[in-house]
Amino acid sequence: MKVFSRVLVTGGAGFIGSHLVEALVASGAEVTVLDNLSTGHRRNLDSVGKSVTLVEGDIRDRALLDQLTRSCDVVFHHAAIVSVTQSVSDPALSCDVNDLGTVRVLDACRKNGVGRVVMASSSAVYGDGPILPKTETMPACPLSPYAVQKLSGEHYAAVFGRLYGLETVCLRYFNVYGPRQTPSSPYSGVISLFVSNAVSGRPPTIYGDGSQTRDFVHVGDVVRANLLAATQKAAAGRVFNVGTGVSTRIRDLWDTIQELSLTKTAPVFAPPRAGDIQDSCSDISAITQCLDFTPKVTIHQGLSDTLAWYHHGNGKIPGYRAQ
């Protein structure tokens, strides 16, 4: 894997971003993190300590972005309001951060000659169409302001490539999970909420009847996808799904977590949430063929890893290292 010289990670104190930062530091890169700490945490970067420069700031700050992107080889853009529910309740704010913030990141990279921008997008852009698995060539059908904003970011990335020659890669994450995904917010991923409930012995809330399905991908695999997207020449200008190609029913997910945690608690059911989709599963043939990416962490390994982290704060998959 290529060693970067200087890298900026927006949202690098968050769940996915902090794992990516660890891998970049391990590769020998000089890493700067830009995060407003609204959902990220300084403690997520404890493992890298003084090896990283953490700047507390906002991606809408043009002057700050101009300063931080100078001399960068690669910018990984993960800062965003990531909650579908929050985007529905406050679409103007999420638009301001996700749309304007993304444009300002891209513009700063353009002005300062950044080699490549790797952007976090989302499977939410596909909406709730009945055809599975989802392929990158399918028409987008966003059902929430968040999904619209992620799709908008992809279009801006393509335009910046065509107009200015800025290399971009957009990664459509499916349902990412793993250590450091906090359950403290009602907008957290379902696995972090379920695992937290299992550890504390509380019943989980399932929105809908539990028949809905998701493609859960471990954060370690997402990190590998980011590094490949940043280093492989063939990735420039592309949009890729990042998932496993395997779907899991929400009811079955809770059963598996109970089995692994040796608990038995009946879930509580609630009405479906606005903007949520029924079924989701990725087709990862494009990223596999282009970047030789295949997911390495099975759902059982990943859930065990996540449960261990919630129990001890330092859960690890045997043999897993950020690469």
Side-chain angles (χ1 to χ4, degrees), residues 59-320:
I59 57 171
R60 293 167 291 180
D61 186 334
R62 182 179 297 177
L64 181 58
L65 283 170
D66 181 64
Q67 173 191 340
L68 296 181
T69 53
R70 291 173 192 164
S71 304
C72 280
D73 299 310
V74 180
V75 170
F76 295 89
H77 179 39
H78 280 79
I81 290 177
V82 299
S83 163
V84 169
T85 308
Q86 187 176 358
S87 81
V88 171
S89 63
D90 195 346
L93 175 62
S94 62
C95 176
D96 193 34
V97 174
N98 295 346
D99 279 336
L100 180 60
T102 294
V103 171
R104 288 196 166 162
V105 168
L106 290 168
D107 199 36
C109 292
R110 170 187 72 88
K111 290 177 179 177
N112 289 304
V114 172
R116 183 171 292 186
V117 184
V118 179
M119 295 173 48
S121 186
S122 171
S123 62
V125 302
Y126 293 114
D128 204 11
I131 299 175
L132 294 175
K134 303 300 184 183
T135 66
E136 295 88 346
T137 56
M138 285 181 174
C141 186
L143 299 178
S144 66
Y146 168 78
V148 170
Q149 292 146 20
K150 283 300 181 181
L151 183 60
S152 171
E154 293 182 9
H155 286 304
Y156 274 116
V159 167
F160 270 71
R162 288 193 295 269
L163 288 180
Y164 312 118
L166 178 64
E167 288 191 3
T168 62
V169 186
C170 297
L171 301 178
R172 290 178 177 173
Y173 299 156
F174 279 67
N175 289 73
V176 187
Y177 72 100
R180 298 192 201 128
Q181 189 176 35
T182 175
S184 59
S185 164
Y187 311 129
S188 296
V190 64
I191 285 183
S192 65
L193 293 168
F194 278 12
V195 167
S196 176
N197 285 334
V199 170
S200 62
R202 292 179 286 109
T205 299
I206 292 180
Y207 296 93
D209 62 5
S211 65
Q212 58 269 46
T213 61
R214 296 292 183 266
D215 183 339
F216 295 106
V217 57
H218 190 268
V219 66
D221 285 324
V222 171
V223 167
R224 289 193 305 106
N226 271 268
L227 298 182
L228 288 168
T231 54
Q232 300 301 306
K233 184 176 181 179
R238 297 287 299 272
V239 175
F240 296 108
N241 289 336
V242 180
T244 65
V246 178
S247 60
T248 301
R249 277 200 330 160
I250 298 302
R251 282 295 302 267
D252 294 339
L253 173 69
W254 175 241
D255 290 342
T256 301
I257 289 173
Q258 287 189 101
E259 177 186 339
L260 291 171
S261 60
L262 303 178
T263 60
K264 192 67 177 177
T265 307
V268 174
F269 292 90
R273 296 182 297 187
D276 279 354
I277 64 173
Q278 176 64 28
D279 296 299
S280 181
C281 185
S282 66
D283 182 324
I284 58 172
S285 57
I287 193 171
T288 298
Q289 293 167 10
C290 186
L291 304 185
D292 197 26
F293 168 84
T294 53
K296 293 183 177 180
V297 183
T298 67
I299 187 70
H300 275 77
Q301 284 179 305
L303 289 174
S304 296
D305 170 49
T306 307
L307 277 162
W309 184 81
Y310 273 88
H311 275 297
H312 309 297
N314 60 352
K316 300 290 181 183
I317 293 176
Y320 165 74

